[in-house]
Amino acid sequence: MENRKKVAFYTLGCKLNFSETSTIARNFNDEGFDRVDFEEVADIYVINTCSVTDNADKQFKQVVKKAMKLNDKAFVAAVGCYAQLKPEELAAVDGVDLVLGATEKFKITDYIHDLSKNDMGEVHSCEIAEADFYVGSYSIGDRTRAFLKVQDGCDYKCTYCTIPLARGISRSDALENVLQNAKEISAQNIREIVLTGVNIGDYGKGEFGNKKHEHTFLDLVQALDKVEGIERLRISSIEPNLLRNETIEFVSKSRTFVPHFHIPLQSGSNDILKLMKRRYLREVYTERVNKIREVMPHACIGVDVIVGFPGETEEHFLETYHFLNEMDISYLHVFTYSERDNTEAANMSGVVPANVRAKRSKMLRGLSVKKRRAFYESQLGTNRTVLFEGENKEGYIHGFTENYVKVKTPWNPELVNTLQEINLTKIDEDGSVRLEFLNKLAEA
C-alpha cells in the first residue's frame, strides 16, 4: 500500500477557528492524507492562527518550534486571522513554508505541492474585501459536542478590533446548509451543538452573497429547534443589541436550546462604550439581563469585558466593576486591552499603564470567581440534566448541566457522552459541583 502522508493541526483562538480547522482537516482527508495528533511526527503541520490577543503572536512561534522539533523536515502552513493580518511577519518565522489568508485557507490542499521546505514562507493572501463568500464548517473535536459555524465576518467598526480586517464583511450560511450540517452532526451521536460565528446575532446578512437576506437569527434558532436528533443547542456569544427579547423568550420555551447566554459587555461605562464604538449603552445590557432573569431565573449569563482601554480612568473602571458586581450574572471572561495595528484605539490618547491594566484585570477575575461561586450556590438542591464528557481526570468524570454548571463524579466509562438527570448537592474544593443521580441505573 502506498505511504500516505500525515497531517497534524494546531488551533489557536476561538471556537470558530476550531470549527474551521475541522473542515480543513476533512479536506486533507479527502485528498488522501491521514490526520495525526499534533504531538506526533507528521509531514505537514497546519497552524490556525488568532489575532485577538498579544499572546497569540508569541504562541504561534512556540507552536512552530514544537512542530520543527518533532520533524525538522516537515512542511509548516499558517492559516487564519493572524495569517491574513500579518502574512509577511508569519512568513518570516523560521520553519514556516506557507501562509494563507482568509479566502485561501479552505483551498489549502491546492497550494501544497511537493512539501519541500522553503527558505522563506510563501504568502497567498487576498485583499480582505475579496473575502465575501461563505464557507460552512463544523468541528467534531470530542464526541460530546460540536461547534457549528453559521456566520463569518463582521460589519461593526469597534475601535479595538482587527476581526473585520482579518475576516471581512458579515456573511451567513444559507439556512438549509446550517440545518443539513446540524443533521450530519446529530447523526454522529453528538449530543450538543454550539452555534458559532464572528457576530452570530447578525445571522442572515449576506446569505445570498450580498446584503439581501431572508432569514434572521430568530428564524435560525426556530428552525434548528425542530431538527430531529439534536438534544442540546447552545448559543455561543451574541451582541446585546442583537439579542432580541423574542429570541430570549423562544429559548425559554425551546425543546433543545439551553438557558446559557454569553453576552459581551466590554465596559460598564457609557463613556468607554462610546470610545469603543460599541452599538449599545449599558442600559441596553441591563435590559437584556433582566429579561433573561425574568423568563429563565436559573440561566447562566457570561460576560466579556475589556480592561485598560485607552481613556479608561479609575472612575470608569470602578463604574464597570460596580455595574458587574450589582448585576445578576454568572461569570466573566476578562481581557486585558492590547494595542493592535491598524485600529483606531491604537492611536488614542489616555494610554493606561500596563501595571494598572494588570491590577484591574486581577480585580475583575476575582469578581468572576465570586460570581461563579454565587451562581453555583444558587443551583444547589436543584435537579438538572448533565452531559458527561470523555476524559478521566484523576479518577473523576466531568460534565456540564444545561445551564453550564460544571459537575464531577467518580469516573464511570458508561457515563461518557450520556445525558443524566441529577441533583446538585455541594461545591467541591476545586470549585466544581458534586451530584446525586436521580436515576438509580446510572449509579449501577
Side-chain angles (χ1 to χ4, degrees), residues 372-385:
R372 194 184 294 268
R373 176 95 194 181
F375 174 60
Y376 281 9
E377 281 174 357
S378 77
Q379 297 303 301
L380 294 180
T382 63
N383 294 346
R384 296 280 169 244
T385 305

Side-chain angles (χ1 to χ4, degrees), residues 388-400:
F388 283 106
E389 298 183 346
E391 208 180 331
N392 182 344
K393 288 184 185 166
E394 295 170 2
Y396 287 93
I397 186 169
H398 291 77
F400 284 94

Side-chain angles (χ1 to χ4, degrees), residues 221-261:
V221 166
Q222 289 171 332
L224 280 166
D225 197 47
K226 297 190 183 98
V227 175
E228 290 294 312
I230 299 176
E231 297 184 70
R232 264 190 189 183
L233 282 155
R234 201 178 290 277
I235 297 167
S236 60
S237 177
I238 184 163
E239 294 283 304
N241 50 308
L242 295 173
L243 178 57
R244 305 265 180 259
N245 283 344
E246 297 82 6
T247 306
I248 296 170
E249 278 172 5
F250 181 78
V251 168
S252 74
K253 301 182 184 79
S254 147
R255 180 181 69 89
T256 52
F257 277 89
V258 294
H260 175 204
F261 294 87

Side-chain angles (χ1 to χ4, degrees), residues 142-304:
D142 56 26
R143 288 192 315 165
T144 315
R145 66 176 57 82
F147 299 116
L148 171 58
K149 174 181 160 186
V150 299
Q151 182 274 344
D152 200 350
C154 188
D155 293 340
Y156 287 9
K157 300 281 185 285
C158 302
T159 53
Y160 53 83
C161 186
T162 56
I163 297 290
L165 299 172
R167 283 187 170 269
I169 58 171
S170 179
R171 52 208 190 275
S172 309
D173 206 350
L175 189 59
E176 58 271 21
N177 283 354
V178 176
L179 298 176
Q180 182 53 40
N181 284 340
K183 285 174 188 148
E184 284 175 23
I185 293 167
S186 63
Q188 297 182 52
N189 195 25
I190 285 167
R191 310 281 182 189
E192 178 172 308
I193 295 177
V194 183
L195 300 186
T196 176
V198 173
N199 187 357
I200 63 173
D202 215 16
Y203 175 80
K205 196 184 273 186
E207 221 178 331
F208 305 106
N210 53 27
K211 289 295 169 208
K212 285 201 190 103
H213 62 95
E214 192 184 330
H215 299 107
T216 62
F217 184 68
L218 179 60
D219 294 337
L220 173 74
V221 166
Q222 289 171 332
L224 280 166
D225 197 47
K226 297 190 183 98
V227 175
E228 290 294 312
I230 299 176
E231 297 184 70
R232 264 190 189 183
L233 282 155
R234 201 178 290 277
I235 297 167
S236 60
S237 177
I238 184 163
E239 294 283 304
N241 50 308
L242 295 173
L243 178 57
R244 305 265 180 259
N245 283 344
E246 297 82 6
T247 306
I248 296 170
E249 278 172 5
F250 181 78
V251 168
S252 74
K253 301 182 184 79
S254 147
R255 180 181 69 89
T256 52
F257 277 89
V258 294
H260 175 204
F261 294 87
H262 192 92
I263 315 166
L265 169 68
Q266 310 311 15
S267 174
S269 157
N270 282 342
D271 292 348
I272 300 297
L273 288 173
K274 286 172 189 168
L275 282 176
M276 290 175 164
K277 290 195 179 166
R278 299 291 286 158
R279 298 205 176 183
Y280 53 86
L281 296 174
R282 56 186 257 167
E283 290 72 15
V284 170
Y285 202 92
T286 307
E287 279 168 26
R288 293 298 174 271
V289 171
N290 291 346
K291 179 68 187 173
I292 292 167
R293 287 280 166 245
E294 179 199 319
V295 294
M296 288 171 272
H298 61 294
C300 179
I301 302 174
V303 184
D304 283 345

